[in-house]
Amino acid sequence: MREPDTCRRAMMALPAEACRVRTVRHFVLALLASWGVVEPDRDAAGLIVSELAGNAAQHGGAEMTVNVSLSAEQLCIDVVDTGPAARVSRPRCDDLDEERGRGLDIVDHLSEWMDICAEPDCWRSRVGLRVGRAAATESVPPAA
């Protein structure tokens, strides 16, 4: 039986456009499936990356870069959007009937930690969460 890789990384850069959020989500979901991350944790990561990429597309500049790394059971998702750092962030929504403005609350709930910061020429959103991995199994031919 082969031991799982201890660290995996992948990166995707694309225009910071709302129509690209689906592409980012599918990229991350396929990547995590190939890395053996269990489905409930893939679903949580897919929602997280959708929210972060959506924010980058809505509030960001010309490009967004998504970095995903998996080390043992710790998944890190890093979304960077190139745009002016002088933007004013929207306050979080306290009205539960409001349809918009709860994305970062969802991300915070699903993750172990979250760090969002303005850098001189971009915004960086980093999130970490523990994930389970499917047990590696050897393929055994069926009995005749």
Side-chain angles (χ1 to χ4, degrees), residues 12-14 18 34 37 50 59 75 80 91 105 143:
M12 171 184 245
L14 61 168
S34 74
V37 173
S50 291
H59 305 293
L75 177 68
V80 177
D105 289 333

Side-chain angles (χ1 to χ4, degrees), residues 91-120:
R92 288 192 178 175
C93 179
D94 292 328
D95 183 358
L96 295 178
D97 294 329
E98 188 67 33
E99 195 170 313
R100 299 175 59 101
R102 294 185 302 222
L104 292 180
D105 289 333
I106 292 169
V107 171
D108 189 40
H109 177 75
L110 292 173
S111 63
E112 278 191 44
W113 56 267
M114 177 173 72
D115 181 36
I116 299 175
C117 62
E119 295 182 359

